[in-house]
Amino acid sequence: MKSIEEYMRAPYRMEVIPDPSEGGYVVSFPELKGCLTCADTLEQAMANAEDAKRQWLTAAMEDGCVIPLPEAEEEFSGQFKLRLPKSLHRQLAMQSRREGISMNQYCVYLLSQQSAGR
């Protein structure tokens, strides 16, 4: 078991979301389920986030809960293998040539455009 300070230094992912309907910001730590806070200003939201994380970790330790470790980026290689129908492969290859980029670059572009549109 780690100490509270070790968990506080761990690189947990923090999400900051503006709240247009109520104003202010909501901050959460997705890896620490239910750990969130809000504030009127970004500065206060960030300060509240550190306090919320400390309180969440303290309560979890006191209750004997398993505290998840942060997802490390090095766990993901950035590569995966994908089988395509020949017709789609041809279409992607032809379009990437027209754009003057590799098919890998073109597919990353298409995937990032789709992801951004969520």
Side-chain angles (χ1 to χ4, degrees), residues 21 33 41 49 52-53 71 77 80-81 91-92 97 101:
S21 62
K33 300 292 181 205
T41 66
K53 182 168 66 168
E71 293 179 7
S77 68
F80 68 97
K81 190 177 273 192
Q91 186 180 14
L92 291 169
R97 279 190 211 121
I101 57 176

Side-chain angles (χ1 to χ4, degrees), residues 63-110:
D63 291 346
C65 297
V66 174
I67 299 173
L69 295 175
E71 293 179 7
E73 292 215 14
E74 58 268 4
E75 291 178 23
F76 303 99
S77 68
Q79 298 179 14
F80 68 97
K81 190 177 273 192
L82 182 64
R83 299 258 181 229
L84 303 172
K86 290 179 182 180
S87 60
L88 179 57
H89 189 181
R90 179 177 40 256
Q91 186 180 14
L92 291 169
M94 291 172 62
Q95 186 61 34
S96 64
R97 279 190 211 121
R98 279 194 286 273
E99 295 291 331
I101 57 176
S102 73
M103 195 168 87
N104 277 347
Q105 289 173 315
Y106 186 65
C107 289
V108 167
Y109 165 75
L110 292 174

Side-chain angles (χ1 to χ4, degrees), residues 28-75:
S28 67
F29 294 90
E31 294 150 326
L32 305 175
K33 300 292 181 205
C35 182
L36 61 101
T37 189
C38 60
D40 292 331
T41 66
L42 186 56
E43 294 77 19
Q44 188 60 48
M46 298 305 280
N48 289 357
E50 286 303 302
D51 184 52
K53 182 168 66 168
R54 181 176 294 280
Q55 295 303 319
W56 190 98
L57 291 167
T58 300
M61 289 177 85
E62 288 172 357
D63 291 346
C65 297
V66 174
I67 299 173
L69 295 175
E71 293 179 7
E73 292 215 14
E74 58 268 4
E75 291 178 23

Side-chain angles (χ1 to χ4, degrees), residues 2 4-13 53 68-70:
K2 295 182 178 202
I4 190 77
E5 294 309 320
E6 288 173 304
Y7 282 115
M8 287 298 293
R9 286 190 301 272
Y12 287 100
R13 185 168 53 95
K53 182 168 66 168
L69 295 175

